[in-house]
Amino acid sequence: MHDTLEAFAIQLIDLSHPEPDGSRRLIPERELCARLDVSRGALRERLSQLEYIGVLSRRQGHGTYLQAPGPDVIRTYFTTMRALGFLDSTEIAEAREMLETVVAVQAARRATAADAERLRALVDEMVACTAAGDHDAATEADLAFHAGLFRIVDNPVFTMVHTGLAYALQQAMHERRARAIAAETPDADGRTETDTIHYPVVDAIAANDPDAARDAIRRHFEIHSLITLDTAEEAPA
């Protein structure tokens, strides 16, 4: 049996049978022990490790299966890193900006008219909720907007990282958005730039214009950073 958990998982894939849902059913433990030349105790310890990270599931009465893991492990990693002080809101925001710049460009290349309309509806919801003073709902619409970009791109790697970051990102977004709203003066229609800066992103995606999408998402982050930076500098006074 290989030393690394990754190599062990690959060994198990070779000793399993494909299922229609994409998972793979393992052969019985007795056969696994014989094929891998390990004790049942050692095998079960490794299987438990894979189960813990979501790669393996035991279905009562059916058997043991290898499956694609969910984002729980990555989410736990980022959440714990933040709680321990090894990751702060600034670093999360920086990573988010770099990642979403790439994602916005790809979304512009792949988006349908329906995708763009869903994004526009979320910006409309942001605007309406902020004007009504429902900032929690506005933040949820904001988070849904950015998650929508990843949904359009539909790349498992980006989706996994974004979903894993979701909890830490949600906390950071609430903090930054609260500072931005506090710093801004709404226009005559009660709209804030924190919300309306999303419209150019939608327009670029609706036009399937990657360059405009890149410029719009960068402008979105620049405006948001300027607003929150000004608020942070004024706070001590």
Side-chain angles (χ1 to χ4, degrees):
M1 187 164 62
H2 286 283
D3 291 336
T4 69
L5 195 58
E6 294 87 351
F8 173 62
I10 298 300
Q11 275 190 303
L12 291 182
I13 290 173
D14 292 336
L15 297 172
S16 62
H17 304 289
E19 294 289 315
D21 64 358
S23 64
R24 298 187 68 94
R25 189 174 189 272
L26 293 182
I27 60 177
E29 282 190 6
R30 183 183 303 172
E31 292 182 47
L32 281 175
C33 289
R35 298 285 293 273
L36 296 173
D37 192 24
V38 295
S39 68
R40 181 161 288 191
L43 175 69
R44 287 181 172 176
E45 181 179 353
R46 280 298 182 88
L47 293 179
S48 294
Q49 290 174 331
L50 291 177
E51 185 174 16
Y52 178 74
I53 64 174
V55 174
L56 180 143
S57 66
R58 305 175 195 271
R59 305 175 191 176
Q60 190 170 5
H62 294 278
T64 303
Y65 295 80
L66 295 170
Q67 61 191 14
D72 290 357
V73 172
I74 296 179
R75 182 166 54 241
T76 300
Y77 171 80
F78 285 127
T79 301
T80 305
M81 286 281 286
R82 191 169 193 236
L84 289 172
F86 293 108
L87 183 65
D88 62 29
S89 296
T90 300
E91 291 164 326
I92 293 170
E94 182 182 43
R96 174 194 169 207
E97 181 174 347
M98 290 188 287
L99 184 62
E100 287 197 25
T101 299
V102 174
V103 168
V105 169
Q106 292 303 318
R109 292 189 173 119
R110 304 181 187 186
T112 65
D115 290 328
E117 284 310 304
R118 279 191 287 271
L119 292 177
R120 194 178 303 279
L122 287 167
V123 184
D124 291 341
E125 185 178 347
M126 272 184 247
V127 170
C129 290
T130 299
D134 190 347
H135 300 302
D136 286 342
T139 301
E140 291 306 313
D142 200 341
L143 288 164
F145 174 90
H146 291 280
L149 299 177
F150 286 85
R151 195 170 296 112
I152 292 168
V153 173
D154 194 28
N155 180 298
V157 176
F158 287 146
T159 300
M160 179 68 78
V161 173
H162 177 263
T163 307
L165 266 172
Y167 182 70
L169 178 60
Q170 184 177 31
Q171 290 180 303
M173 283 274 285
H174 273 286
E175 294 168 4
R176 289 169 64 86
R177 188 178 176 86
R179 292 201 304 270
I181 294 298
E184 283 197 74
T185 301
D187 64 16
D189 297 319
R191 307 193 315 170
T192 62
E193 195 170 17
T194 293
D195 295 327
T196 58
I197 197 63
H198 293 82
Y199 283 122
V201 180
V202 178
D203 292 339
I205 288 173
N208 296 118
D209 187 335
D211 292 333
R214 182 186 297 107
D215 292 342
I217 197 73
R218 283 177 175 170
R219 181 63 177 161
H220 160 277
F221 285 118
E222 286 172 4
I223 291 294
H224 199 51
S225 293
L226 285 171
I227 294 170
T228 55
L229 179 63
D230 289 345
T231 308
E233 289 176 346
E234 291 170 6

